[in-house]
Amino acid sequence: MPFSRSNDIVLSYRRAGRRGAPRIAFANSLGSDMAIWDDVIDELAADFDLLLYDKRGHGLSEVAPAPRGIRDHSDDLIGLLDHVGWQDTMICGLSVGGVIAMDLAVRAPARVTRLVLMDTAAKIGTPDAWNARIDAVQDGGVASIGEAIMARWFSPDYRAGQPEAFSAWRRMLERTPAAGYAETCKALRDADLTDTITGITAPTLVIAGENDLSTPPALVEATAHRIPGAIFHIIKGAGHLPCIERPADVAALLRGFANG
Ligand SMILES: O=C(O)CC1=CCC(=O)O1
């Protein structure tokens, strides 16, 4: 597993696919690591050059020593792109990963050839809700909110139909360092890209899971409407993590958009 150091943080990342093919970089959601993309990667590996990473405070990446905002997360991604020598790429961001991707597309448009935003929004949640979540995690760790988060992430059908996978993803969530999780909640609490995303110039595809309880389709669609020319698509039957529940649909959408 390779690691990079830039923007004062060590990030864990992975290259997959075919070197020199069209590029896609993936940014994860809160409480997840890069394994959430594995089934999508399997579908795309023959035809794309793929970059995945654990954002700060998640997976094997370092936890930042001090409070940080979304800008630091997007600077991390720029640093990682520099590290692997990618001047520009299509970026696919899920949830907070989508917020990071939007911020990058606004601040460094030359680095983003195309933008895919999945189950995300210009502003996610309320300060009160984030503060309550931060307090809970700081008091009891991520496991203390595990059941509530899993109920928001996955459809009841997935939980009932794939119990082993469901409990594995729960372990991924609950192993997230409390400090890393809480710092990312603070970054989300303080982020509002409602005004800035109207300046995004990259061709943009916005995807929502039909049954997403965390960033419901109407919220995701409202964000799509603020980005010039953005295309909006709902994946039927998926919850907050379509890359896990509907990887073939996600891969087909990415492939079609990349080649469009
Ligand atoms: O954990 C959740 O409630 C869902 C979520 C919000 C932002 C994110 O990245 O995940």
Side-chain angles (χ1 to χ4, degrees), residues 93-137:
L94 172 68
S95 204
V96 67
V99 181
I100 294 165
M102 283 185 263
D103 190 54
L104 184 57
V106 168
R107 295 173 49 226
R111 309 300 297 261
V112 183
T113 54
R114 286 175 179 266
L115 184 61
V116 179
L117 304 172
M118 201 176 301
D119 297 79
T120 189
K123 177 161 181 53
I124 300 177
T126 63
D128 285 351
W130 286 121
N131 286 334
R133 202 189 288 204
I134 291 162
D135 288 347
V137 166

Side-chain angles (χ1 to χ4, degrees), residues 133-146 174 178:
R133 202 189 288 204
I134 291 162
D135 288 347
V137 166
Q138 285 173 339
D139 288 350
V142 178
S144 69
I145 59 166
E174 295 184 354

Side-chain angles (χ1 to χ4, degrees), residues 4-241:
S4 69
R5 175 185 283 284
S6 56
N7 199 28
D8 237 1
I9 196 109
V10 175
L11 296 180
S12 155
Y13 72 96
R14 179 160 86 87
R15 297 283 302 268
R18 190 162 56 81
R19 298 287 169 109
R23 300 164 177 164
I24 311 177
F26 294 85
N28 306 335
S29 58
L30 175 65
S32 71
D33 64 33
M34 57 181 139
I36 62 170
W37 300 107
D38 279 0
D39 291 346
V40 175
I41 297 308
D42 284 349
E43 301 263 350
L44 297 177
D47 303 312
F48 292 90
D49 196 351
L50 304 162
L51 174 65
L52 308 107
Y53 75 107
D54 294 333
K55 69 185 160 304
R56 57 172 62 205
H58 288 69
L60 297 184
S61 293
E62 253 183 335
V63 179
R68 300 292 181 188
I70 286 297
R71 178 165 290 218
D72 294 277
H73 284 274
S74 49
D75 283 343
D76 291 352
L77 181 48
I78 291 173
L80 178 60
L81 295 176
D82 289 341
H83 177 84
V84 298
W86 285 15
Q87 180 51 39
D88 58 19
T89 182
M90 173 162 139
I91 296 187
C92 173
L94 172 68
S95 204
V96 67
V99 181
I100 294 165
M102 283 185 263
D103 190 54
L104 184 57
V106 168
R107 295 173 49 226
R111 309 300 297 261
V112 183
T113 54
R114 286 175 179 266
L115 184 61
V116 179
L117 304 172
M118 201 176 301
D119 297 79
T120 189
K123 177 161 181 53
I124 300 177
T126 63
D128 285 351
W130 286 121
N131 286 334
R133 202 189 288 204
I134 291 162
D135 288 347
V137 166
Q138 285 173 339
D139 288 350
V142 178
S144 69
I145 59 166
E147 176 54 35
I149 298 302
M150 292 300 284
R152 292 157 63 97
W153 275 8
F154 290 102
S155 65
D157 282 354
Y158 185 85
R159 180 179 202 141
Q162 310 225 30
E164 294 84 8
F166 183 86
S167 59
W169 296 121
R170 182 168 182 157
R171 283 193 292 282
M172 172 195 70
L173 168 67
E174 295 184 354
R175 287 175 183 172
T176 309
Y181 190 96
E183 290 304 334
T184 309
C185 291
K186 289 179 193 169
L188 276 164
R189 177 195 63 194
D190 299 338
D192 184 353
L193 304 187
T194 306
D195 292 333
T196 57
I197 59 171
T198 57
I200 288 177
T201 52
T204 302
L205 169 66
V206 182
I207 298 170
E210 179 187 31
N211 304 321
D212 183 356
L213 299 180
S214 294
T215 48
L219 178 71
V220 180
E221 186 172 16
T223 291
H225 285 321
R226 296 190 67 77
I227 300 175
I231 302 162
F232 178 66
H233 185 93
I234 293 181
I235 298 184
K236 297 265 184 247
H240 187 59
L241 306 177

